[in-house]
Amino acid sequence: MLSRGFCRTFGVRSPCARPVASAIKFKACNLLLYASTSSVSPVLTTRDGMANDDAIADLKPVLLWRYFKDLTQIPRPSKHEERVLQYLKDFAAERQLPWQQDAVGNLVIRRPGSGGGEGAPCVVVQGHVDMVCEKEPSLDHNFLTDPLALRRDGDWLKAIGTTLGADNGIGVATALALLSSPPSAKLPPLECLFTVDEETGLTGAFNISPDLLTGRTMLNLDTEDWGEVFIGCSGGGDMSLVVEVALEQLTSSSSSLSPTNMTVHTLKLGGLLGGHSGLNIHEGRGNAVQLMARALAAVAAAAGRDGWRLVGLTGGDKRNAIARDASAVVLVAEDKQDAAASAIESLLKDLRTEYGTIETGLSLTLTPAAAAGSPAEALPPALLPADAERLLSLLRGLPHGPLKFSHAVPGLVETSNNVASVKEVPSSLPAHRRYVVVTSTRSSLMAALEATRDVIQGLARLGGCVEVQRGKAYPGWQPDLDSKVLKVTLDAYRDMLGGNQTAKVGAIHAGLECGILGEKFPGMDMVSFGPTIKGAHSPDERVRISTVEPFWELTIKVLERLADVRQ
């Protein structure tokens, strides 16, 4: 097998060099956007190839940036990682590196130790291959088929109108650059673990095969603050609250409303920052779902019970992103239109006062979509007033934002909740519809996490939800200040910067796979670090270019020290 031949070439025997169950088979890849034609570097077809090359021109380390650019050209939404996994398999086959894949899709590529590190214990280098797919509402972009367009903005690399996928593409590209290191490089045996579906439920980590890893020291490359080394993270859990509402078709005999004087209006709220529902939750950013519910309540107050109806509502998208935009369709009586418009203008002014220093792009508009006097049959069915009030009350009443800060770690959010989205889904009952409200709760304390979810479940009952789906919570990662790899990392950081400078050690209010992998592989000693990435999970995502090279240097220095370790 290639694994044995490769290891004989290097003259090593290590746990990482064991034969693998998966056959290594190099075959032409005919998947969209990806074609492997060279043993030196994969070639990707892209609409904006030259512009993307210009965006990373002269950036160092060259290999890391080249692989990252490759990743931005391969569509890799969560649960659709087939193309990027094929790219990784071809990468391994071209370099005669053994790979192994488990049933859920996680992939590990192994590289023997070299340059004096042949006898060192195996080190796991871990990142996830999927990315959060968010775009500007006006952009025509299909994340299942389209590559990203890159641009450089000073010291930042961004994508045009979409998330960049630096979370966690930079970590994956770093692992690929390590695997491409020359035989003379001083490195311990490596198991580069590429997990799937991290962003929508940590599915890969939860279902990882127990025989996929042998190493018990791990570098997780999925954090986003250069200068900090993380040794702990929050746990989390999602909930879906299902609200059943009844619909009415307005007729002259069905209510006091006259359908002939009702006008369809579109209410849109947008331009918010959004962002990561853990890392940005403490910043007081606007939540489009809750602000839309507030706007609809303003319309209701201005128009009165018989002066309006709610037709439809949607807002937010990903469970781990703060909602950036929302929209609703309403019916407004002709004699209440001025009052409703005035209420929205007044609310917009209030919201700009509340959020203006941070949410500078906030917009809120109420626009007629049809002329008054439309025939009754042209009007869409609307929610019964009591059901509309019940839905809006639930959306406004759910907790959102930081709920408690840690008493042990100053400034660390301990527990938070994100009201992530509200979506329409069909109902099995005639003349009914369902709304699914998704919430995402995080906490570094599992008892506090479940207590918060108990509160949300209680609010769902009060709101008359017909179903509450309470997903299994994932564990946090408890800090270990006596960690051996932490000491190695801090020493390497200090030596790299010189003097008495050292990294800040802390925990992060976000879900990392470390907590789950630590449970799956007892005795795993872990740290997490990365370059500076801002705006993750939003189209404003960007990576600070000047932090990538020192991040790479730190990774190399840590591994060089680990190459000297002997069991």
Side-chain angles (χ1 to χ4, degrees):
M1 294 179 64
L2 285 172
S3 57
R4 289 173 178 167
F6 187 67
C7 293
R8 281 198 296 269
T9 301
F10 283 85
V12 299
R13 289 180 62 84
S14 80
C16 288
R18 65 184 179 182
V20 297
S22 303
I24 299 177
K25 186 181 294 183
F26 180 55
K27 58 184 178 180
C29 178
N30 59 6
L31 294 169
L32 181 65
L33 300 175
Y34 168 53
S36 182
T37 62
S38 167
S39 61
V40 177
S41 174
V43 176
L44 295 148
T45 60
T46 170
R47 300 170 302 179
D48 302 292
M50 293 300 295
N52 289 333
D53 287 341
D54 290 343
I56 65 164
D58 304 321
L59 298 186
K60 296 180 179 179
V62 174
L63 269 184
L64 189 158
W65 284 110
R66 183 190 303 169
Y67 292 134
F68 178 67
K69 189 206 77 170
D70 286 355
L71 292 170
T72 67
Q73 305 308 288
I74 305 172
R76 49 190 177 95
S78 301
K79 304 186 188 302
H80 297 277
E81 300 98 337
E82 298 85 3
R83 280 163 283 196
V84 70
L85 290 172
Q86 185 63 53
Y87 167 88
L88 295 174
K89 293 172 188 176
D90 288 351
F91 171 96
E94 289 170 357
R95 291 155 182 80
Q96 296 189 332
L97 296 174
W99 57 266
Q100 182 179 352
Q101 188 173 24
D102 64 13
V104 76
N106 298 311
L107 187 75
V108 64
I109 302 176
R110 298 185 172 89
R111 180 191 187 279
S114 58
E118 292 86 350
C122 217
V123 176
V124 180
V125 178
Q126 189 263 324
H128 62 86
V129 297
D130 61 319
M131 63 174 281
V132 170
C133 298
E134 287 278 326
K135 68 180 185 70
E136 297 292 351
S138 60
L139 183 67
D140 182 16
H141 182 93
N142 186 341
F143 281 102
L144 289 172
T145 59
D146 297 343
L148 305 183
L150 307 180
R151 71 179 179 91
R152 203 187 302 189
D153 183 5
D155 193 31
W156 298 95
L157 184 72
K158 306 178 67 174
I160 300 175
T162 69
T163 39
L164 174 64
D167 171 16
N168 185 221
I170 290 289
V172 172
T174 301
L176 295 178
L178 289 170
L179 290 167
S180 297
S181 298
S184 59
K186 184 179 181 180
L187 291 172
L190 297 179
E191 290 180 324
C192 290
L193 172 63
F194 305 99
T195 50
V196 298
D197 198 24
E198 188 267 358
E199 298 289 6
T200 60
L202 301 155
T203 306
F206 268 124
N207 296 283
I208 192 169
S209 175
D211 68 347
L212 203 58
L213 298 177
T214 63
R216 287 300 180 268
T217 299
M218 189 175 89
L219 307 183
N220 170 278
L221 306 181
D222 189 24
T223 44
E224 302 166 0
D225 294 284
W226 170 245
E228 297 191 42
V229 176
F230 294 96
I231 58 172
C233 72
S234 64
D238 303 335
M239 298 179 71
S240 295
L241 319 179
V242 183
V243 182
E244 185 100 43
V245 298
L247 304 177
E248 63 172 340
Q249 183 68 60
L250 298 182
T251 65
S252 57
S253 61
S254 63
S255 77
S256 59
L257 287 171
S258 171
T260 59
N261 71 355
M262 299 295 287
T263 302
V264 177
H265 283 65
T266 301
L267 183 61
K268 290 189 175 182
L269 188 147
L272 299 178
L273 291 173
H276 194 290
S277 65
L279 300 180
N280 302 121
I281 199 70
H282 64 290
E283 297 175 6
R285 299 183 178 192
N287 179 298
V289 171
Q290 292 198 312
L291 293 183
M292 174 55 73
R294 183 172 166 184
L296 289 168
V299 171
R305 182 178 178 86
D306 291 332
W308 87 294
R309 288 290 187 271
L310 175 62
V311 173
L313 169 63
T314 185
D317 189 9
K318 304 296 187 297
R319 64 167 188 85
N320 50 8
I322 301 170
R324 301 176 62 248
D325 47 67
S327 63
V329 176
V330 296
L331 303 177
V332 183
E334 184 177 1
D335 61 343
K336 300 296 183 180
Q337 291 179 24
D338 289 344
S342 178
I344 292 301
E345 289 177 7
S346 178
L347 177 60
L348 178 58
K349 188 178 300 183
D350 291 342
L351 293 178
R352 284 179 172 162
T353 300
E354 289 181 43
Y355 294 98
T357 59
I358 185 171
E359 296 287 10
T360 56
L362 169 65
S363 64
L364 178 63
T365 59
L366 180 65
T367 308
S374 298
E377 55 269 22
L379 293 179
L383 279 68
L384 290 179
D387 285 352
E389 183 178 358
R390 183 165 53 88
L391 174 63
L392 298 182
S393 295
L394 177 65
L395 292 176
R396 297 183 71 186
L398 288 170
H400 175 82
L403 305 179
K404 184 178 180 295
F405 284 82
S406 172
H407 294 170
V409 183
L412 175 68
V413 178
E414 186 174 272
T415 305
S416 72
N417 189 63
N418 177 43
V419 180
S421 64
V422 56
K423 302 289 184 184
E424 297 179 2
V425 296
S427 170
S428 59
L429 299 176
H432 282 71
R433 179 189 301 149
R434 287 187 168 194
Y435 285 90
V436 178
V437 182
V438 175
T439 67
S440 179
T441 309
R442 302 178 190 266
S443 183
S444 50
L445 302 176
M446 292 305 288
L449 173 71
E450 296 301 349
T452 302
R453 300 212 294 169
D454 288 343
V455 169
I456 294 171
Q457 190 156 346
L459 291 171
R461 290 195 190 100
L462 291 174
C465 291
V466 296
E467 184 180 352
V468 175
Q469 300 166 6
R470 184 165 174 164
K472 179 183 177 182
Y474 58 86
W477 170 26
Q478 295 306 308
D480 178 10
L481 292 173
D482 296 323
S483 161
K484 292 179 181 179
V485 72
L486 172 62
K487 183 180 185 305
V488 170
T489 304
L490 294 180
D491 288 345
Y493 191 97
R494 189 180 299 108
D495 289 349
M496 191 176 79
L497 294 184
N500 294 321
Q501 297 184 69
T502 189
K504 178 182 175 182
V505 178
I508 187 172
H509 189 66
L512 297 175
E513 291 160 296
C514 297
I516 301 169
L517 294 175
E519 284 195 347
K520 297 285 186 178
F521 300 95
M524 188 73 82
D525 189 14
M526 303 172 285
V527 293
S528 180
F529 55 89
T532 295
I533 298 171
K534 298 294 184 183
H537 299 185
S538 80
D540 195 40
E541 182 185 3
R542 60 205 184 275
V543 57
R544 187 183 287 275
I545 294 168
S546 60
T547 65
V548 174
E549 188 171 11
F551 155 69
W552 166 256
E553 292 175 1
L554 177 63
T555 305
I556 291 295
K557 289 185 180 296
V558 170
L559 290 171
E560 287 176 345
R561 282 165 169 77
L562 293 174
D564 290 330
V565 175
R566 295 296 181 267
Q567 289 178 323

